[in-house]
Amino acid sequence: MVEHFTGIEHVHTDKRAPWCAEWWRHPEVVARLWALWQARLQADEDSSVRLDAVSDWWLTHWDRHAAILLDPRTGPFRKCDRTLGHLHETHGAATPGIDIQWPPSDWRVAS
């Protein structure tokens, strides 16, 4: 999937990186690219019966994921820097995921 868009997708050239050269070190990016690739394979297969299948992939899948992946403020690469590198702001340490606490064993969903 990465090869698919490296030649056609363009990102801003400001210092804050909307794309990290070490994209594979970002689990969210890997998961999103895998989902995009699977959807693209399906679109290619469907294109023999649906002429808009590939166009639909761009609009429904790529555009939505790209908006998140390439967002320099909130995207997965927000702590990377084009010059200083992967996770520069956190000195290479990934930020913790969502904090979660499990409910007590006697907890039940209210009906």
Side-chain angles (χ1 to χ4, degrees), residues 24-56:
W24 65 89
R25 297 177 70 187
H26 298 268
E28 176 185 358
V29 174
V30 172
R32 285 180 180 277
L33 290 176
W34 179 252
L36 281 164
W37 181 245
Q38 294 302 305
R40 179 55 193 249
L41 291 175
Q42 186 63 55
D44 288 345
E45 185 177 314
D46 293 350
S47 67
S48 64
V49 292
R50 265 188 56 224
L51 297 178
D52 67 339
V54 174
S55 177
D56 188 48

PDB file of all heavy atoms in Angstrom, residues 24-56:
ATOM      1  N   TRP A  24       6.344   2.267   9.669  1.00  0.00           N
ATOM      2  CA  TRP A  24       6.098   0.913  10.178  1.00  0.00           C
ATOM      3  C   TRP A  24       6.236   0.833  11.704  1.00  0.00           C
ATOM      4  O   TRP A  24       5.821  -0.141  12.308  1.00  0.00           O
ATOM      5  CB  TRP A  24       7.024  -0.099   9.514  1.00  0.00           C
ATOM      6  CG  TRP A  24       8.466   0.116   9.852  1.00  0.00           C
ATOM      7  CD1 TRP A  24       9.146  -0.426  10.914  1.00  0.00           C
ATOM      8  CD2 TRP A  24       9.402   0.947   9.175  1.00  0.00           C
ATOM      9  NE1 TRP A  24      10.444   0.018  10.919  1.00  0.00           N
ATOM     10  CE2 TRP A  24      10.631   0.872   9.858  1.00  0.00           C
ATOM     11  CE3 TRP A  24       9.327   1.755   8.042  1.00  0.00           C
ATOM     12  CZ2 TRP A  24      11.763   1.572   9.450  1.00  0.00           C
ATOM     13  CZ3 TRP A  24      10.455   2.440   7.646  1.00  0.00           C
ATOM     14  CH2 TRP A  24      11.651   2.344   8.343  1.00  0.00           C
ATOM     15  N   ARG A  25       6.808   1.871  12.328  1.00  0.00           N
ATOM     16  CA  ARG A  25       6.961   1.885  13.781  1.00  0.00           C
ATOM     17  C   ARG A  25       5.728   2.467  14.477  1.00  0.00           C
ATOM     18  O   ARG A  25       5.727   2.627  15.689  1.00  0.00           O
ATOM     19  CB  ARG A  25       8.206   2.684  14.150  1.00  0.00           C
ATOM     20  CG  ARG A  25       9.474   2.013  13.592  1.00  0.00           C
ATOM     21  CD  ARG A  25      10.711   2.795  13.873  1.00  0.00           C
ATOM     22  NE  ARG A  25      11.011   2.748  15.301  1.00  0.00           N
ATOM     23  CZ  ARG A  25      11.971   3.447  15.885  1.00  0.00           C
ATOM     24  NH1 ARG A  25      12.704   4.265  15.161  1.00  0.00           N
ATOM     25  NH2 ARG A  25      12.193   3.351  17.161  1.00  0.00           N
ATOM     26  N   HIS A  26       4.699   2.755  13.714  1.00  0.00           N
ATOM     27  CA  HIS A  26       3.446   3.312  14.233  1.00  0.00           C
ATOM     28  C   HIS A  26       2.347   2.267  14.039  1.00  0.00           C
ATOM     29  O   HIS A  26       1.842   2.104  12.922  1.00  0.00           O
ATOM     30  CB  HIS A  26       3.075   4.597  13.488  1.00  0.00           C
ATOM     31  CG  HIS A  26       4.077   5.693  13.640  1.00  0.00           C
ATOM     32  ND1 HIS A  26       3.975   6.639  14.626  1.00  0.00           N
ATOM     33  CD2 HIS A  26       5.196   5.985  12.933  1.00  0.00           C
ATOM     34  CE1 HIS A  26       4.978   7.492  14.520  1.00  0.00           C
ATOM     35  NE2 HIS A  26       5.745   7.108  13.500  1.00  0.00           N
ATOM     36  N   PRO A  27       1.955   1.546  15.105  1.00  0.00           N
ATOM     37  CA  PRO A  27       0.956   0.474  14.958  1.00  0.00           C
ATOM     38  C   PRO A  27      -0.357   0.927  14.317  1.00  0.00           C
ATOM     39  O   PRO A  27      -0.939   0.192  13.518  1.00  0.00           O
ATOM     40  CB  PRO A  27       0.727  -0.006  16.396  1.00  0.00           C
ATOM     41  CG  PRO A  27       1.987   0.347  17.114  1.00  0.00           C
ATOM     42  CD  PRO A  27       2.479   1.619  16.477  1.00  0.00           C
ATOM     43  N   GLU A  28      -0.817   2.129  14.632  1.00  0.00           N
ATOM     44  CA  GLU A  28      -2.067   2.616  14.030  1.00  0.00           C
ATOM     45  C   GLU A  28      -1.915   2.737  12.520  1.00  0.00           C
ATOM     46  O   GLU A  28      -2.828   2.390  11.763  1.00  0.00           O
ATOM     47  CB  GLU A  28      -2.467   3.967  14.617  1.00  0.00           C
ATOM     48  CG  GLU A  28      -3.697   4.551  13.944  1.00  0.00           C
ATOM     49  CD  GLU A  28      -4.053   5.940  14.427  1.00  0.00           C
ATOM     50  OE1 GLU A  28      -3.385   6.483  15.329  1.00  0.00           O
ATOM     51  OE2 GLU A  28      -5.011   6.502  13.871  1.00  0.00           O
ATOM     52  N   VAL A  29      -0.765   3.216  12.075  1.00  0.00           N
ATOM     53  CA  VAL A  29      -0.533   3.394  10.644  1.00  0.00           C
ATOM     54  C   VAL A  29      -0.517   2.039   9.949  1.00  0.00           C
ATOM     55  O   VAL A  29      -1.140   1.860   8.897  1.00  0.00           O
ATOM     56  CB  VAL A  29       0.779   4.162  10.399  1.00  0.00           C
ATOM     57  CG1 VAL A  29       1.107   4.230   8.921  1.00  0.00           C
ATOM     58  CG2 VAL A  29       0.694   5.548  11.018  1.00  0.00           C
ATOM     59  N   VAL A  30       0.159   1.085  10.536  1.00  0.00           N
ATOM     60  CA  VAL A  30       0.219  -0.256   9.951  1.00  0.00           C
ATOM     61  C   VAL A  30      -1.196  -0.838   9.836  1.00  0.00           C
ATOM     62  O   VAL A  30      -1.573  -1.380   8.791  1.00  0.00           O
ATOM     63  CB  VAL A  30       1.139  -1.171  10.785  1.00  0.00           C
ATOM     64  CG1 VAL A  30       1.052  -2.608  10.306  1.00  0.00           C
ATOM     65  CG2 VAL A  30       2.580  -0.667  10.732  1.00  0.00           C
ATOM     66  N   ALA A  31      -1.986  -0.700  10.886  1.00  0.00           N
ATOM     67  CA  ALA A  31      -3.352  -1.233  10.865  1.00  0.00           C
ATOM     68  C   ALA A  31      -4.197  -0.542   9.801  1.00  0.00           C
ATOM     69  O   ALA A  31      -4.957  -1.192   9.066  1.00  0.00           O
ATOM     70  CB  ALA A  31      -3.988  -1.080  12.243  1.00  0.00           C
ATOM     71  N   ARG A  32      -4.068   0.780   9.704  1.00  0.00           N
ATOM     72  CA  ARG A  32      -4.852   1.505   8.703  1.00  0.00           C
ATOM     73  C   ARG A  32      -4.409   1.169   7.279  1.00  0.00           C
ATOM     74  O   ARG A  32      -5.238   0.999   6.384  1.00  0.00           O
ATOM     75  CB  ARG A  32      -4.752   3.012   8.938  1.00  0.00           C
ATOM     76  CG  ARG A  32      -5.566   3.485  10.115  1.00  0.00           C
ATOM     77  CD  ARG A  32      -5.421   4.991  10.310  1.00  0.00           C
ATOM     78  NE  ARG A  32      -6.190   5.443  11.429  1.00  0.00           N
ATOM     79  CZ  ARG A  32      -7.498   5.723  11.386  1.00  0.00           C
ATOM     80  NH1 ARG A  32      -8.153   5.585  10.262  1.00  0.00           N
ATOM     81  NH2 ARG A  32      -8.126   6.137  12.466  1.00  0.00           N
ATOM     82  N   LEU A  33      -3.109   1.059   7.051  1.00  0.00           N
ATOM     83  CA  LEU A  33      -2.624   0.708   5.715  1.00  0.00           C
ATOM     84  C   LEU A  33      -3.051  -0.707   5.333  1.00  0.00           C
ATOM     85  O   LEU A  33      -3.385  -0.966   4.170  1.00  0.00           O
ATOM     86  CB  LEU A  33      -1.111   0.865   5.631  1.00  0.00           C
ATOM     87  CG  LEU A  33      -0.604   2.305   5.663  1.00  0.00           C
ATOM     88  CD1 LEU A  33       0.921   2.321   5.669  1.00  0.00           C
ATOM     89  CD2 LEU A  33      -1.150   3.119   4.508  1.00  0.00           C
ATOM     90  N   TRP A  34      -3.050  -1.607   6.309  1.00  0.00           N
ATOM     91  CA  TRP A  34      -3.502  -2.982   6.032  1.00  0.00           C
ATOM     92  C   TRP A  34      -4.977  -2.965   5.634  1.00  0.00           C
ATOM     93  O   TRP A  34      -5.369  -3.605   4.653  1.00  0.00           O
ATOM     94  CB  TRP A  34      -3.283  -3.884   7.238  1.00  0.00           C
ATOM     95  CG  TRP A  34      -3.767  -5.270   6.989  1.00  0.00           C
ATOM     96  CD1 TRP A  34      -4.870  -5.869   7.516  1.00  0.00           C
ATOM     97  CD2 TRP A  34      -3.189  -6.247   6.122  1.00  0.00           C
ATOM     98  NE1 TRP A  34      -5.020  -7.142   7.026  1.00  0.00           N
ATOM     99  CE2 TRP A  34      -3.993  -7.397   6.168  1.00  0.00           C
ATOM    100  CE3 TRP A  34      -2.068  -6.245   5.299  1.00  0.00           C
ATOM    101  CZ2 TRP A  34      -3.705  -8.539   5.431  1.00  0.00           C
ATOM    102  CZ3 TRP A  34      -1.777  -7.396   4.558  1.00  0.00           C
ATOM    103  CH2 TRP A  34      -2.588  -8.513   4.633  1.00  0.00           C
ATOM    104  N   ALA A  35      -5.802  -2.223   6.372  1.00  0.00           N
ATOM    105  CA  ALA A  35      -7.225  -2.132   6.047  1.00  0.00           C
ATOM    106  C   ALA A  35      -7.424  -1.503   4.668  1.00  0.00           C
ATOM    107  O   ALA A  35      -8.266  -1.961   3.879  1.00  0.00           O
ATOM    108  CB  ALA A  35      -7.953  -1.318   7.118  1.00  0.00           C
ATOM    109  N   LEU A  36      -6.657  -0.454   4.381  1.00  0.00           N
ATOM    110  CA  LEU A  36      -6.742   0.182   3.072  1.00  0.00           C
ATOM    111  C   LEU A  36      -6.366  -0.784   1.954  1.00  0.00           C
ATOM    112  O   LEU A  36      -7.007  -0.819   0.898  1.00  0.00           O
ATOM    113  CB  LEU A  36      -5.830   1.415   3.014  1.00  0.00           C
ATOM    114  CG  LEU A  36      -6.373   2.672   3.668  1.00  0.00           C
ATOM    115  CD1 LEU A  36      -5.248   3.677   3.890  1.00  0.00           C
ATOM    116  CD2 LEU A  36      -7.473   3.276   2.803  1.00  0.00           C
ATOM    117  N   TRP A  37      -5.319  -1.557   2.191  1.00  0.00           N
ATOM    118  CA  TRP A  37      -4.870  -2.497   1.168  1.00  0.00           C
ATOM    119  C   TRP A  37      -5.927  -3.565   0.908  1.00  0.00           C
ATOM    120  O   TRP A  37      -6.232  -3.896  -0.241  1.00  0.00           O
ATOM    121  CB  TRP A  37      -3.551  -3.138   1.571  1.00  0.00           C
ATOM    122  CG  TRP A  37      -3.033  -4.083   0.546  1.00  0.00           C
ATOM    123  CD1 TRP A  37      -2.879  -5.430   0.673  1.00  0.00           C
ATOM    124  CD2 TRP A  37      -2.608  -3.752  -0.774  1.00  0.00           C
ATOM    125  NE1 TRP A  37      -2.390  -5.955  -0.489  1.00  0.00           N
ATOM    126  CE2 TRP A  37      -2.207  -4.948  -1.401  1.00  0.00           C
ATOM    127  CE3 TRP A  37      -2.529  -2.569  -1.480  1.00  0.00           C
ATOM    128  CZ2 TRP A  37      -1.740  -4.989  -2.706  1.00  0.00           C
ATOM    129  CZ3 TRP A  37      -2.056  -2.608  -2.790  1.00  0.00           C
ATOM    130  CH2 TRP A  37      -1.668  -3.809  -3.379  1.00  0.00           C
ATOM    131  N   GLN A  38      -6.514  -4.098   1.963  1.00  0.00           N
ATOM    132  CA  GLN A  38      -7.556  -5.109   1.799  1.00  0.00           C
ATOM    133  C   GLN A  38      -8.754  -4.536   1.041  1.00  0.00           C
ATOM    134  O   GLN A  38      -9.305  -5.190   0.155  1.00  0.00           O
ATOM    135  CB  GLN A  38      -7.988  -5.645   3.171  1.00  0.00           C
ATOM    136  CG  GLN A  38      -6.908  -6.421   3.897  1.00  0.00           C
ATOM    137  CD  GLN A  38      -6.414  -7.597   3.089  1.00  0.00           C
ATOM    138  OE1 GLN A  38      -7.186  -8.459   2.665  1.00  0.00           O
ATOM    139  NE2 GLN A  38      -5.116  -7.648   2.857  1.00  0.00           N
ATOM    140  N   ALA A  39      -9.137  -3.304   1.389  1.00  0.00           N
ATOM    141  CA  ALA A  39     -10.253  -2.665   0.699  1.00  0.00           C
ATOM    142  C   ALA A  39      -9.915  -2.403  -0.763  1.00  0.00           C
ATOM    143  O   ALA A  39     -10.770  -2.529  -1.646  1.00  0.00           O
ATOM    144  CB  ALA A  39     -10.641  -1.366   1.410  1.00  0.00           C
ATOM    145  N   ARG A  40      -8.668  -2.054  -1.033  1.00  0.00           N
ATOM    146  CA  ARG A  40      -8.261  -1.796  -2.417  1.00  0.00           C
ATOM    147  C   ARG A  40      -8.292  -3.080  -3.245  1.00  0.00           C
ATOM    148  O   ARG A  40      -8.716  -3.083  -4.408  1.00  0.00           O
ATOM    149  CB  ARG A  40      -6.865  -1.167  -2.463  1.00  0.00           C
ATOM    150  CG  ARG A  40      -6.365  -0.886  -3.858  1.00  0.00           C
ATOM    151  CD  ARG A  40      -7.364  -0.005  -4.636  1.00  0.00           C
ATOM    152  NE  ARG A  40      -7.057   0.032  -6.033  1.00  0.00           N
ATOM    153  CZ  ARG A  40      -6.600   1.093  -6.664  1.00  0.00           C
ATOM    154  NH1 ARG A  40      -6.408   2.213  -6.027  1.00  0.00           N
ATOM    155  NH2 ARG A  40      -6.350   1.025  -7.949  1.00  0.00           N
ATOM    156  N   LEU A  41      -7.832  -4.174  -2.663  1.00  0.00           N
ATOM    157  CA  LEU A  41      -7.891  -5.454  -3.370  1.00  0.00           C
ATOM    158  C   LEU A  41      -9.335  -5.797  -3.721  1.00  0.00           C
ATOM    159  O   LEU A  41      -9.621  -6.259  -4.833  1.00  0.00           O
ATOM    160  CB  LEU A  41      -7.258  -6.557  -2.523  1.00  0.00           C
ATOM    161  CG  LEU A  41      -5.744  -6.476  -2.326  1.00  0.00           C
ATOM    162  CD1 LEU A  41      -5.277  -7.574  -1.373  1.00  0.00           C
ATOM    163  CD2 LEU A  41      -5.010  -6.551  -3.657  1.00  0.00           C
ATOM    164  N   GLN A  42     -10.232  -5.558  -2.776  1.00  0.00           N
ATOM    165  CA  GLN A  42     -11.648  -5.824  -3.021  1.00  0.00           C
ATOM    166  C   GLN A  42     -12.186  -4.899  -4.109  1.00  0.00           C
ATOM    167  O   GLN A  42     -12.940  -5.323  -4.977  1.00  0.00           O
ATOM    168  CB  GLN A  42     -12.462  -5.656  -1.743  1.00  0.00           C
ATOM    169  CG  GLN A  42     -13.924  -6.053  -1.896  1.00  0.00           C
ATOM    170  CD  GLN A  42     -14.083  -7.524  -2.222  1.00  0.00           C
ATOM    171  OE1 GLN A  42     -13.578  -8.380  -1.499  1.00  0.00           O
ATOM    172  NE2 GLN A  42     -14.770  -7.838  -3.309  1.00  0.00           N
ATOM    173  N   ALA A  43     -11.787  -3.628  -4.073  1.00  0.00           N
ATOM    174  CA  ALA A  43     -12.231  -2.677  -5.105  1.00  0.00           C
ATOM    175  C   ALA A  43     -11.746  -3.102  -6.485  1.00  0.00           C
ATOM    176  O   ALA A  43     -12.491  -3.016  -7.466  1.00  0.00           O
ATOM    177  CB  ALA A  43     -11.733  -1.273  -4.771  1.00  0.00           C
ATOM    178  N   ASP A  44     -10.494  -3.547  -6.554  1.00  0.00           N
ATOM    179  CA  ASP A  44      -9.970  -4.007  -7.840  1.00  0.00           C
ATOM    180  C   ASP A  44     -10.771  -5.199  -8.355  1.00  0.00           C
ATOM    181  O   ASP A  44     -11.086  -5.287  -9.547  1.00  0.00           O
ATOM    182  CB  ASP A  44      -8.489  -4.374  -7.725  1.00  0.00           C
ATOM    183  CG  ASP A  44      -7.594  -3.163  -7.571  1.00  0.00           C
ATOM    184  OD1 ASP A  44      -8.047  -2.027  -7.836  1.00  0.00           O
ATOM    185  OD2 ASP A  44      -6.427  -3.339  -7.159  1.00  0.00           O
ATOM    186  N   GLU A  45     -11.097  -6.106  -7.443  1.00  0.00           N
ATOM    187  CA  GLU A  45     -11.896  -7.276  -7.823  1.00  0.00           C
ATOM    188  C   GLU A  45     -13.294  -6.849  -8.270  1.00  0.00           C
ATOM    189  O   GLU A  45     -13.818  -7.346  -9.266  1.00  0.00           O
ATOM    190  CB  GLU A  45     -11.987  -8.236  -6.631  1.00  0.00           C
ATOM    191  CG  GLU A  45     -12.675  -9.532  -6.938  1.00  0.00           C
ATOM    192  CD  GLU A  45     -12.662 -10.464  -5.742  1.00  0.00           C
ATOM    193  OE1 GLU A  45     -11.593 -10.619  -5.116  1.00  0.00           O
ATOM    194  OE2 GLU A  45     -13.725 -11.030  -5.437  1.00  0.00           O
ATOM    195  N   ASP A  46     -13.894  -5.924  -7.524  1.00  0.00           N
ATOM    196  CA  ASP A  46     -15.253  -5.464  -7.838  1.00  0.00           C
ATOM    197  C   ASP A  46     -15.325  -4.618  -9.095  1.00  0.00           C
ATOM    198  O   ASP A  46     -16.403  -4.441  -9.666  1.00  0.00           O
ATOM    199  CB  ASP A  46     -15.812  -4.646  -6.665  1.00  0.00           C
ATOM    200  CG  ASP A  46     -16.042  -5.480  -5.421  1.00  0.00           C
ATOM    201  OD1 ASP A  46     -15.958  -6.724  -5.495  1.00  0.00           O
ATOM    202  OD2 ASP A  46     -16.278  -4.875  -4.353  1.00  0.00           O
ATOM    203  N   SER A  47     -14.201  -4.079  -9.550  1.00  0.00           N
ATOM    204  CA  SER A  47     -14.218  -3.166 -10.690  1.00  0.00           C
ATOM    205  C   SER A  47     -14.681  -3.835 -11.987  1.00  0.00           C
ATOM    206  O   SER A  47     -15.097  -3.140 -12.916  1.00  0.00           O
ATOM    207  CB  SER A  47     -12.854  -2.512 -10.891  1.00  0.00           C
ATOM    208  OG  SER A  47     -11.897  -3.462 -11.282  1.00  0.00           O
ATOM    209  N   SER A  48     -14.647  -5.152 -12.042  1.00  0.00           N
ATOM    210  CA  SER A  48     -15.128  -5.825 -13.247  1.00  0.00           C
ATOM    211  C   SER A  48     -16.653  -5.772 -13.363  1.00  0.00           C
ATOM    212  O   SER A  48     -17.191  -5.886 -14.461  1.00  0.00           O
ATOM    213  CB  SER A  48     -14.647  -7.282 -13.278  1.00  0.00           C
ATOM    214  OG  SER A  48     -15.206  -7.993 -12.192  1.00  0.00           O
ATOM    215  N   VAL A  49     -17.333  -5.561 -12.226  1.00  0.00           N
ATOM    216  CA  VAL A  49     -18.798  -5.470 -12.260  1.00  0.00           C
ATOM    217  C   VAL A  49     -19.311  -4.091 -11.830  1.00  0.00           C
ATOM    218  O   VAL A  49     -20.456  -3.755 -12.102  1.00  0.00           O
ATOM    219  CB  VAL A  49     -19.459  -6.565 -11.391  1.00  0.00           C
ATOM    220  CG1 VAL A  49     -19.237  -7.933 -12.000  1.00  0.00           C
ATOM    221  CG2 VAL A  49     -18.971  -6.519  -9.972  1.00  0.00           C
ATOM    222  N   ARG A  50     -18.468  -3.323 -11.181  1.00  0.00           N
ATOM    223  CA  ARG A  50     -18.836  -1.972 -10.735  1.00  0.00           C
ATOM    224  C   ARG A  50     -17.781  -1.002 -11.223  1.00  0.00           C
ATOM    225  O   ARG A  50     -16.677  -0.963 -10.686  1.00  0.00           O
ATOM    226  CB  ARG A  50     -18.884  -1.909  -9.199  1.00  0.00           C
ATOM    227  CG  ARG A  50     -20.208  -2.115  -8.596  1.00  0.00           C
ATOM    228  CD  ARG A  50     -20.208  -1.832  -7.081  1.00  0.00           C
ATOM    229  NE  ARG A  50     -19.726  -0.492  -6.776  1.00  0.00           N
ATOM    230  CZ  ARG A  50     -18.861  -0.226  -5.791  1.00  0.00           C
ATOM    231  NH1 ARG A  50     -18.389  -1.177  -5.025  1.00  0.00           N
ATOM    232  NH2 ARG A  50     -18.472   1.010  -5.563  1.00  0.00           N
ATOM    233  N   LEU A  51     -18.084  -0.228 -12.205  1.00  0.00           N
ATOM    234  CA  LEU A  51     -17.101   0.668 -12.789  1.00  0.00           C
ATOM    235  C   LEU A  51     -16.615   1.737 -11.820  1.00  0.00           C
ATOM    236  O   LEU A  51     -15.527   2.274 -11.993  1.00  0.00           O
ATOM    237  CB  LEU A  51     -17.671   1.330 -14.048  1.00  0.00           C
ATOM    238  CG  LEU A  51     -18.014   0.368 -15.189  1.00  0.00           C
ATOM    239  CD1 LEU A  51     -18.611   1.125 -16.362  1.00  0.00           C
ATOM    240  CD2 LEU A  51     -16.778  -0.414 -15.610  1.00  0.00           C
ATOM    241  N   ASP A  52     -17.391   2.031 -10.786  1.00  0.00           N
ATOM    242  CA  ASP A  52     -16.999   3.056  -9.818  1.00  0.00           C
ATOM    243  C   ASP A  52     -16.294   2.487  -8.589  1.00  0.00           C
ATOM    244  O   ASP A  52     -16.021   3.216  -7.645  1.00  0.00           O
ATOM    245  CB  ASP A  52     -18.219   3.859  -9.377  1.00  0.00           C
ATOM    246  CG  ASP A  52     -19.202   3.034  -8.568  1.00  0.00           C
ATOM    247  OD1 ASP A  52     -19.176   1.783  -8.665  1.00  0.00           O
ATOM    248  OD2 ASP A  52     -20.003   3.636  -7.834  1.00  0.00           O
ATOM    249  N   ALA A  53     -15.955   1.217  -8.597  1.00  0.00           N
ATOM    250  CA  ALA A  53     -15.395   0.580  -7.399  1.00  0.00           C
ATOM    251  C   ALA A  53     -14.084   1.222  -6.952  1.00  0.00           C
ATOM    252  O   ALA A  53     -13.888   1.480  -5.760  1.00  0.00           O
ATOM    253  CB  ALA A  53     -15.194  -0.915  -7.634  1.00  0.00           C
ATOM    254  N   VAL A  54     -13.192   1.509  -7.872  1.00  0.00           N
ATOM    255  CA  VAL A  54     -11.907   2.107  -7.489  1.00  0.00           C
ATOM    256  C   VAL A  54     -12.103   3.558  -7.067  1.00  0.00           C
ATOM    257  O   VAL A  54     -11.519   4.008  -6.075  1.00  0.00           O
ATOM    258  CB  VAL A  54     -10.873   1.972  -8.630  1.00  0.00           C
ATOM    259  CG1 VAL A  54      -9.588   2.717  -8.287  1.00  0.00           C
ATOM    260  CG2 VAL A  54     -10.581   0.489  -8.882  1.00  0.00           C
ATOM    261  N   SER A  55     -12.949   4.280  -7.770  1.00  0.00           N
ATOM    262  CA  SER A  55     -13.255   5.649  -7.365  1.00  0.00           C
ATOM    263  C   SER A  55     -13.874   5.655  -5.972  1.00  0.00           C
ATOM    264  O   SER A  55     -13.536   6.497  -5.130  1.00  0.00           O
ATOM    265  CB  SER A  55     -14.206   6.296  -8.370  1.00  0.00           C
ATOM    266  OG  SER A  55     -14.553   7.597  -7.945  1.00  0.00           O
ATOM    267  N   ASP A  56     -14.752   4.727  -5.729  1.00  0.00           N
ATOM    268  CA  ASP A  56     -15.385   4.616  -4.414  1.00  0.00           C
ATOM    269  C   ASP A  56     -14.344   4.322  -3.335  1.00  0.00           C
ATOM    270  O   ASP A  56     -14.426   4.853  -2.224  1.00  0.00           O
ATOM    271  CB  ASP A  56     -16.455   3.514  -4.448  1.00  0.00           C
ATOM    272  CG  ASP A  56     -17.275   3.480  -3.184  1.00  0.00           C
ATOM    273  OD1 ASP A  56     -17.748   4.545  -2.750  1.00  0.00           O
ATOM    274  OD2 ASP A  56     -17.439   2.383  -2.628  1.00  0.00           O
TER     275      ASP A  56
END
